Amino acid sequence: MKIGIVGGGFMGLTLSHEIAKTNASVKVFESAAHMGGLSTHKDYGPFVWDRFYHVILPTDNYLIGLIEDLDLGDELCWRRSYTGYYVQKKFYSISSSKEFLLFPALNLWDKGMLAFTIFYGSKIKDWKKLEKITVKDWLIKMGGRATYEKFWSPLLLAKLGENHEKVSAVFIWTYIKRLFQARSSAAQKEHMGYLKGGYKTFFDTLQSNLSKKGSEIALNSAVQSVKANPEGGITIICNDKEEYFDKVIFTSPLNVLNKVANQSLFESSKPTAPVEYLGVICLVMITKKSLTPYYVLNIADKEIPFTGVIGMSSLVDLDQTANEHLTYFPKYVSANDAYWQKSDEELTSLFLEGVSKLYPDFDENDIVSTHLHKALKVQPLQVLNYSETIPDVQTKHKDFYILNTSQFVNDTLNNNSVVNHVQKFMTKFKTESNLH
Ligand SMILES: Cc1cc2nc3c(=O)[nH]c(=O)nc-3n(C[C@H](O)[C@H](O)[C@H](O)COP(=O)(O)OP(=O)(O)OC[C@H]3O[C@@H](n4cnc5c(N)ncnc54)[C@H](O)[C@@H]3O)c2cc1C
C-alpha cells in the first residue's frame, strides 16, 4: 500500500515515521526547502538552532516516547528554568511558589483568587462546558475582576491580541494544565528540556530512518491539487506531475486544504466554520552577553512591541550555540493586523527599540546578528463552541483524511499533542487499512 502525506511539518513527519513501521510505503510532500514546518531549523551562522523557540516539558510523555523510539533519549537535556513577569516597568521572577507569593502586582486576596483559579482549573475534566463561556467571563467568575485586569488580561493580550475577547475558556484551561504540570510536584520548581542540536537532530534522524525503509520526504514539493479517483485511491499533483496513492493524509493548515482539494472531497457530515489562525512575528537576536535569566518573560506593557522574551540561552548550554546567547522576541498577530504591512526592516527596528526600552543598559555593540521570522498560520483560535466547527479526521471520501492542529479541541498547540493526535489516529487507521 502506498500512502501520501501532504505537509512535512512535525505532524506529517511523525505520521510518516509511524506509517513506515508498517507494511505500507509513505511519501511526504513538503513545499519548503527544509523539513519541519514551524519546528524547522535555521542556520544562524556559527550554529544551527530552531527557527522558532521550542522546549520539551517533563510531562510531554508522548513526545519523549517518540524521541526514545528514535534512539535519541541520550540527546535530551533537562535544565532548571525560570519564568518572569514584566509589569509596571519592573521584572519579577515567578518561578517558585514563594516568589509567586511575593509578587507585588497582586495583593494577598488577589493571589488567593489566582491560586484558586489555577487549582480549580487544573482539576476540571469536562472541558466541553468551558467551550460555552469566553475566557474573560470565566476568569472573572473564578478569580474576580482585579485578578483578571492585573494578571490574566495582559497575559491573554500577549498571547492572543485583541482576539482574546472571542476565545473560549478552554484556551486558558489547556495552558493551566500544561504549564503548571511543568513544575515538578516534589520540588515545585520548573524544569524544561531540549534536544542537543535542536529539532534538527530529531528531523535528520527521522529522515534517515525513513529512507532506510524505502520511504521518502520530497522537499520543494508544494502539492498543487488532490483528486479522488473514480475507482478508489487519490491522485496528488505536484510540480505538474501526477502520482497515485491508495490513501492520502492532509496535515497542513486548513487554508491550504481549500486551495488544493475540491470541497466535495473533504466535505464534512457536520457543518464546519472557517478556522481563524493567529500568526507570529519573531525577532531572533544573537548576542555576546546574556539578556535575560528567564526562559519565558511575560510582558504586560503596551509600550513594548513584542509580548514576551524567550531566553533560549538561559536553558540551552552555551556550547550548543557557539558560546553566543540566543533570544527570541515574539508577537502573536491576527491575519488582519497592521504588523503584516510593515517591512522586515521596519519590524526589526521597531523590535530593537522595544529591546532598548526593556533593557536600558543593553549595548547594541553586543549584537552579533538579528533575524526576523514570520509565520501566518500558527495557532488556531479556539472560539466559543470550537469543537463543533472543525473538520473530522475521516472525510466523506474513504481514502482521504485530515489530521492537523485545527483538531486540537482541548489542547494547546505543542508537539506532545501532535504525537498524541498521530498515535490515536494510527490505532484506527492501521485496522481500517489492514496495515501491520
Ligand atoms: C513561536 C512558536 C513557539 C512554539 N513553541 C513550542 C514549544 O515550546 N513546544 C512545543 O511542543 N511546540 C511549540 N510550538 C508548536 C510547534 O511548532 C507545532 O506544534 C508544530 O510545529 C506543528 O506542526 P504541524 O506539522 O502540525 O504544522 P506546520 O509546522 O505548520 O506544518 C505544515 C507543513 O505543511 C507545509 N505545506 C503548506 N502548504 C503545502 C502544500 N501545498 N504542499 C506541501 N506542503 C505544504 C508547510 O510548509 C509546513 O511544513 C511552537 C510554535 C511556534 C510558532
Side-chain angles (χ1 to χ4, degrees):
M1 175 167 298
K2 203 173 152 195
I3 294 166
I5 296 177
V6 183
F10 197 81
M11 181 86 73
L13 292 175
T14 300
L15 185 60
S16 69
H17 172 72
E18 296 299 332
I19 294 174
K21 287 181 190 168
T22 70
N23 52 335
S25 77
V26 59
K27 178 167 178 178
V28 181
F29 292 84
E30 167 53 46
S31 56
H34 296 291
M35 298 174 280
L38 295 171
S39 304
T40 197
H41 67 276
K42 155 99 185 169
D43 187 346
Y44 289 101
F47 61 90
V48 171
W49 203 259
D50 300 357
R51 187 174 148 83
F52 296 107
Y53 47 92
H54 287 86
V55 277
I56 300 167
L57 303 188
T59 44
D60 283 347
N61 294 328
Y62 300 107
L63 176 59
I64 295 168
L66 174 62
I67 289 170
E68 283 166 356
D69 192 32
L70 285 167
D71 261 342
L72 290 173
D74 290 345
E75 306 300 303
L76 251 179
C77 306
W78 297 103
R79 300 286 179 267
R80 171 87 165 92
S81 61
Y82 298 88
T83 299
Y85 204 101
Y86 179 76
V87 61
Q88 293 153 4
K89 313 283 178 219
K90 286 204 177 108
F91 296 88
Y92 299 98
S93 178
I94 46 168
S95 311
S96 66
S97 311
K98 191 176 153 209
E99 283 174 347
F100 172 70
L101 281 173
L102 294 172
F103 184 51
L106 298 175
N107 64 31
L108 214 57
W109 170 258
D110 297 340
K111 278 175 199 155
M113 297 297 272
L114 180 58
F116 169 75
T117 308
I118 292 168
F119 177 76
Y120 184 84
S122 68
K123 299 282 166 221
I124 291 179
K125 297 265 180 298
D126 182 8
W127 57 272
K128 277 259 183 190
K129 270 194 199 153
L130 298 176
E131 267 201 336
K132 313 237 170 285
I133 176 165
T134 65
V135 64
K136 180 179 177 181
D137 289 349
W138 186 76
L139 286 171
I140 292 176
K141 197 168 128 197
M142 285 297 125
R145 190 165 284 277
T147 318
Y148 178 78
E149 299 296 347
K150 288 188 233 165
F151 188 83
W152 292 116
S153 168
L155 278 185
L156 289 174
L157 210 63
K159 273 274 159 211
L160 301 165
E162 298 305 328
N163 289 296
H164 71 277
E165 300 265 341
K166 49 183 176 179
V167 164
S168 86
V170 173
F171 178 83
I172 205 71
W173 174 72
T174 58
Y175 261 89
I176 290 175
K177 258 198 331 168
R178 182 169 163 79
L179 285 182
F180 288 85
Q181 274 171 358
R183 294 188 179 182
S184 66
S185 51
Q188 283 294 304
K189 284 180 182 153
E190 294 173 349
H191 282 88
M192 293 187 181
Y194 66 91
L195 265 182
K196 283 185 200 156
Y199 263 111
K200 185 170 189 305
T201 305
F202 175 93
F203 291 125
D204 286 348
T205 309
L206 189 147
Q207 184 182 31
S208 120
N209 279 6
L210 269 192
S211 56
K212 277 183 211 147
K213 290 178 177 154
S215 289
E216 187 190 345
I217 302 169
L219 299 176
N220 297 308
S221 299
V223 168
Q224 293 158 284
S225 156
V226 176
K227 285 192 304 196
N229 299 330
E231 62 283 7
I234 304 279
T235 296
I236 285 185
I237 301 167
C238 175
N239 295 329
D240 297 326
K241 281 195 215 114
E242 294 200 350
E243 198 167 345
Y244 170 85
F245 293 92
D246 297 293
K247 308 259 174 198
V248 166
I249 306 152
F250 178 92
T251 70
S252 301
L254 290 176
N255 63 312
V256 180
L257 180 66
N258 289 316
K259 263 193 252 159
V260 301
N262 190 293
Q263 185 87 29
S264 61
L265 188 60
F266 60 87
E267 216 168 31
S268 175
S269 40
K270 61 174 196 214
T272 56
V275 169
E276 211 180 309
Y277 284 81
L278 277 187
V280 75
I281 295 176
C282 186
L283 180 77
V284 185
M285 203 152 89
I286 297 163
T287 52
K288 291 180 206 152
K289 290 188 194 143
S290 163
L291 268 175
T292 171
Y294 307 113
Y295 176 71
V296 180
L297 174 74
N298 296 299
I299 298 179
D301 187 325
K302 287 191 176 145
E303 279 180 33
I304 308 291
F306 40 84
T307 46
V309 178
I310 312 296
M312 192 52 80
S313 296
S314 71
L315 191 77
V316 171
D317 295 348
L318 282 182
D319 63 359
Q320 292 289 303
T321 53
N323 287 318
E324 289 173 337
H325 296 261
L326 177 61
T327 313
Y328 297 73
F329 301 87
K331 178 170 176 71
Y332 281 85
V333 265
S334 55
N336 52 9
D337 198 290
Y339 265 62
W340 296 112
Q341 310 307 323
K342 295 186 192 293
S343 68
D344 285 7
E345 291 71 29
E346 285 173 309
L347 286 168
T348 303
S349 59
L350 183 71
F351 276 44
L352 284 177
E353 272 170 38
V355 175
S356 298
K357 275 189 199 151
L358 196 60
Y359 303 108
D361 296 337
F362 172 64
D363 180 355
E364 290 214 352
N365 291 319
D366 283 337
I367 301 178
V368 177
S369 61
T370 61
H371 311 260
L372 194 80
H373 296 154
K374 298 176 190 168
L376 196 55
K377 304 284 175 195
V378 175
Q379 164 89 55
L381 275 183
Q382 288 162 333
V383 293
L384 292 179
N385 301 315
Y386 179 73
S387 69
E388 288 163 26
T389 64
I390 49 125
D392 290 328
V393 169
Q394 175 67 68
T395 64
K396 272 192 182 161
H397 193 288
K398 68 174 184 30
D399 297 326
F400 187 64
Y401 301 81
I402 301 168
L403 198 73
N404 71 13
T405 54
S406 74
Q407 293 157 337
F408 292 4
V409 288
N410 59 355
D411 236 333
T412 58
L413 174 74
N414 65 75
N415 286 338
N416 188 56
S417 308
V418 172
V419 182
N420 183 17
H421 199 54
V422 166
Q423 289 177 351
K424 273 195 189 135
F425 168 78
M426 281 305 291
T427 309
K428 221 165 151 240
F429 183 65
K430 278 197 326 205
T431 319
E432 276 169 15
S433 310
N434 201 16
L435 301 183
H436 45 267

